[in-house]
Amino acid sequence: MSIQLAVIGVGIMGSDHAKIVVEDLPGAKLQVICDMDKSKAKSVADAHGAQDISTDPEGVILRGDVDAVIISSPDFTHAPLAKACITAGKRVLCEKPLSDSSIECLEVMAAERNSSARYVMLGFMRRFDQSYVEMKAALDNNNLGRALMMHNFHRNVEIPTSDFSASMAISNSAPHEFDVARYVLGTEFASITAFKPHRTDGRVAPVIMVLETVDDQLVTIEINNNATYGYDVRAELVGETGSISINNQAHTRTDIKFSSSTSYDTDWRGRFHDAYVRQNRKFLNFVKTGSFPEIASDCWDGYCAALVAEFGIKALHSGAKHTIRTIPKPALYRTRKGEMA
Ligand code: ISE
């Protein structure tokens, strides 16, 4: 019996999810493509052979022929649709962020806690990227000694929409680093400061954040949404006895006329394709078995990312250091290795 999936929202990421379901998820069937724009839903459904289309997300979640859902609609719809999935008892892979608002993340967590089960796997795909997997393994295997610092660089070619602001660099782009740094280091953030240099061309400037962890480590994050030259994600983890770096991924290097060059992806979909496939396979297994994947992000992680982003935006505007305080971690989310339930 195959697992019948619905994809809600087929903008850039949603159509990639539909493609991954068909090409890379044996045991899954693309049942419904849902989008407010019917012609978009139809063209993605036609391209990937989905059974049906819809423009009604809540209706799709309730359908008897839909076992589980992938949410890739606009950010502000993530939390309400995730809650609808929980109420319907359907497991859901929800694109990041769970919400821009930590309060709204708490509401989704409350819905999950009321049903005493985890339904939401959050699409922080970096955790599945081989580079971060190796970085975490190097730390966990004590190859580097105790972690001191993690430096992160996240550069996009240009802002995705004309209303994209420095605050959105923190609420939309930086959550990837907030999440993956917490995951790799196995810690939580205690404070954040944020700064930006002045760009003379009036375009959105980079944002640099410095975060302290509760274990007295430092994390630096540069988000540059107008880097121009390519999609470039790098990081270095510095331990007391060694360090490990994530390089730009290039399959080839060209040497010609006394110079050497490698190329960059234009956006994250190429760079993180393998991570998305691994993530979505883990989601399928979660749907089949009900066992939440150890590696994946959940609603607690979504809440932490949103909370850090909220303080980051405050810090950018105030120029001051802001203390980050989370609620105590609810028992439902304390079921990973090394955590007391
Ligand atoms: C963007 O906001 C995303 O959501 C992508 O996942 C990320 O990789 C990209 O760099 C972000 O700016």
Side-chain angles (χ1 to χ4, degrees):
M1 277 284 286
S2 56
I3 301 287
Q4 313 204 126
L5 296 175
V7 178
I8 299 180
V10 283
I12 297 178
M13 218 33 246
S15 33
D16 267 35
H17 279 301
K19 187 166 183 277
I20 289 171
V21 169
V22 173
E23 294 181 0
D24 300 292
L25 296 197
K29 186 169 163 200
L30 193 56
Q31 192 67 10
V32 189
I33 294 291
C34 176
D35 199 282
M36 299 313 250
D37 179 342
K38 196 173 178 183
S39 61
K40 207 194 269 180
K42 182 160 174 9
S43 76
V44 174
D46 288 349
H48 303 297
Q51 297 297 302
D52 201 0
I53 62 163
S54 171
T55 55
D56 170 18
E58 284 84 7
V60 162
I61 291 167
L62 294 173
R63 278 171 67 143
D65 62 348
V66 168
D67 299 314
V69 178
I70 297 177
I71 298 175
S72 40
S73 43
D75 290 3
F76 72 92
T77 65
H78 292 179
L81 293 176
K83 274 194 278 182
C85 290
I86 296 166
T87 308
K90 306 254 169 106
R91 301 210 161 84
V92 52
L93 173 63
C94 179
E95 265 300 331
K96 48 65 62 177
L98 183 55
S99 169
D100 282 355
S101 148
S102 59
I103 304 272
E104 200 175 29
C105 293
L106 290 175
E107 289 167 15
V108 185
M109 282 161 70
E112 267 191 333
R113 289 163 72 193
N114 285 341
S115 53
S116 306
R118 277 199 278 194
Y119 287 95
V120 184
M121 182 171 146
L122 203 56
F124 278 125
M125 78 300 186
R126 298 259 189 109
R127 292 178 178 218
F128 298 86
D129 179 63
Q130 188 61 24
S131 322
Y132 289 103
V133 168
E134 289 177 18
M135 181 179 265
K136 182 162 176 56
L139 189 62
D140 292 350
N141 296 335
N142 203 23
N143 298 345
L144 314 170
R146 179 183 165 271
L148 291 171
M149 298 178 283
M150 185 170 170
H151 303 293
N152 301 272
F153 305 86
H154 179 164
R155 297 176 184 161
N156 296 77
V157 175
E158 60 182 356
I159 51 170
T161 52
S162 57
D163 62 346
F164 201 90
S165 61
S167 296
M168 287 165 80
I170 301 177
S171 65
N172 182 280
S173 300
H176 279 296
E177 276 74 20
F178 298 151
D179 182 71
V180 85
R182 285 178 57 248
Y183 173 67
V184 167
L185 295 171
T187 189
E188 296 293 355
F189 290 122
S191 76
I192 184 165
T193 46
F195 311 93
K196 61 185 169 88
H198 175 66
R199 265 189 90 125
T200 52
D201 58 9
R203 301 177 74 197
V204 175
V207 175
I208 305 274
M209 287 157 272
V210 180
L211 298 104
E212 293 169 308
T213 74
V214 294
D215 296 306
D216 292 325
Q217 297 141 325
L218 289 179
V219 173
T220 63
I221 303 174
E222 175 203 302
I223 304 289
N224 184 356
N225 294 106
N226 275 320
T228 310
Y229 66 86
Y231 184 71
D232 188 10
V233 167
R234 282 178 274 144
E236 181 174 11
L237 175 58
V238 183
E240 290 182 357
T241 58
S243 110
I244 182 166
S245 294
I246 291 174
N247 300 317
N248 174 48
Q249 314 274 295
H251 295 293
T252 52
R253 187 194 69 212
T254 305
D255 296 310
I256 206 164
K257 288 190 181 163
F258 311 104
S259 73
S260 184
S261 64
T262 54
S263 59
Y264 285 98
D265 284 300
T266 50
D267 68 28
W268 63 92
R269 289 170 300 158
R271 165 67 181 83
F272 288 110
H273 175 76
D274 292 350
Y276 280 110
V277 171
R278 285 177 174 182
Q279 165 191 272
N280 293 12
R281 286 185 177 159
K282 284 281 184 199
F283 174 63
L284 188 64
N285 195 52
F286 172 43
V287 176
K288 283 183 186 156
T289 63
S291 164
F292 192 85
E294 175 93 11
I295 183 176
S297 303
D298 58 22
C299 287
W300 169 256
D301 300 306
Y303 158 75
C304 290
L307 191 74
V308 176
E310 284 170 349
F311 282 111
I313 292 169
K314 284 185 190 155
L316 182 67
H317 293 138
S318 70
K321 177 159 105 177
H322 285 253
T323 302
I324 299 165
R325 268 195 206 92
T326 65
I327 60 159
K329 192 171 187 177
L332 180 63
Y333 304 103
R334 273 188 269 132
T335 51
R336 294 186 174 170
K337 265 187 215 134
E339 288 184 301
M340 301 288 286

